[in-house]
Amino acid sequence: MLSSIIFLRTVTFHKLAFHSRFKHISTEKSVELKRTLSTDLPQSAPPSTRKSFKTTRSKLEGEQRDLNLKQLKSNGWQIVDNHDAIKKDFEFENFNQAFAFMTRIALLAEKLNHHPEWSNVYNKVNVTLTTHDLKGISTYDVQMASFMDEIHSLHKKK
Ligand SMILES: C[C@H](O)[C@H](O)[C@H]1CNC2=NC(N)=NC(=O)C2=N1
C-alpha cells in the first residue's frame, strides 16, 4: 500500500516537472517562431503600408500608377521594358540573410496568393514583380515591393 502511494507520487512529480519544462520551452519557442514567421510589417514600417494589405487587388492605372511608380523608383525599383513589371536586385550580408528574406516574403506570397519572380545567388536576390492575371503592375505588386524593402532594411548588408 505504502509503496504504491510513493510510486504514484513519484510518477506525478515527474509528469508535472516534464510538463512545466516542456511548456516553458514550447511557449518561448512558439513566441519566437511567431515573430520570425510573421508577415505583418515591422513596427518601423509606415502605418499606411501596414494597413494596405487589406486592399483588394487592382491593376494600377493613371495617376495612382504614376504616384506609386515614382515612390518605388525612389526606393531603387526599375520598370521592366517590354512587359509591365517592376524589378530590383537585393544584396545581403550572406546567404543566410538572403534566405531569411526570401522566407519572410514567401509567407506573404502565400498569404496574398501573389508570388514574385525571383532568383537567388549566394547573398543576392533578384526580384521581378507583376500580376499575371491582370497582365500588369497591381496594388499587390506595390504592397509586396514595400514589404520587401522593409524586410531588406532589417537584413541588408551593413
Ligand atoms: C491560380 C493562382 O491563384 C493564381 O495563378 C495566382 C497565383 N500567384 C500569382 N502571382 C502573381 N505575381 N500574379 C498572379 O496573377 C498570381 N496569380
Side-chain angles (χ1 to χ4, degrees):
M1 178 65 168
L2 181 60
S3 60
S4 56
I5 291 170
I6 292 168
F7 172 73
L8 278 174
R9 280 175 57 83
T10 313
V11 168
T12 313
F13 171 77
H14 283 297
K15 261 185 170 178
L16 285 174
F18 174 78
H19 176 71
S20 61
R21 179 167 156 60
F22 179 77
K23 183 178 174 303
H24 170 68
I25 289 174
S26 70
T27 309
E28 202 172 81
K29 274 285 169 213
S30 65
V31 167
E32 185 192 320
L33 190 58
K34 267 200 200 100
R35 193 182 313 117
T36 311
L37 299 179
S38 165
T39 54
D40 296 333
L41 278 174
Q43 285 314 309
S44 58
S48 61
T49 54
R50 255 180 270 143
K51 293 192 197 72
S52 64
F53 292 157
K54 307 283 179 280
T55 57
T56 51
R57 186 179 76 166
S58 57
K59 189 171 179 181
L60 291 186
E61 307 276 5
E63 194 183 348
Q64 183 196 25
R65 176 186 165 90
D66 297 342
L67 286 172
N68 278 288
L69 293 188
K70 188 171 176 225
Q71 170 74 28
L72 289 169
K73 282 180 191 168
S74 68
N75 291 338
W77 290 85
Q78 297 169 301
I79 311 299
V80 181
D81 304 329
N82 68 27
H83 92 259
D84 198 25
I86 49 174
K87 69 175 183 175
K88 185 170 180 177
D89 300 339
F90 293 91
E91 187 167 343
F92 299 86
E93 195 70 28
N94 51 44
F95 172 73
N96 209 28
Q97 294 294 332
F99 200 75
F101 167 83
M102 295 179 82
T103 303
R104 291 289 295 270
I105 305 311
L107 291 166
L108 177 68
E110 282 303 286
K111 188 172 181 177
L112 289 180
N113 189 30
H114 186 76
H115 304 83
E117 299 166 21
W118 54 2
S119 60
N120 158 245
V121 177
Y122 180 54
N123 67 327
K124 293 183 178 63
V125 180
N126 298 341
V127 175
T128 299
L129 295 174
T130 189
T131 304
H132 310 119
D133 300 341
L134 303 178
K135 294 183 177 48
I137 301 167
S138 77
T139 46
Y140 275 21
D141 297 307
V142 174
Q143 288 159 11
M144 185 162 274
S146 312
F147 188 72
M148 286 182 171
D149 286 337
E150 186 63 30
I151 301 305
H152 177 239
S153 68
L154 302 177
H155 291 289
K156 69 183 169 189
K157 215 169 169 66
K158 301 250 181 327

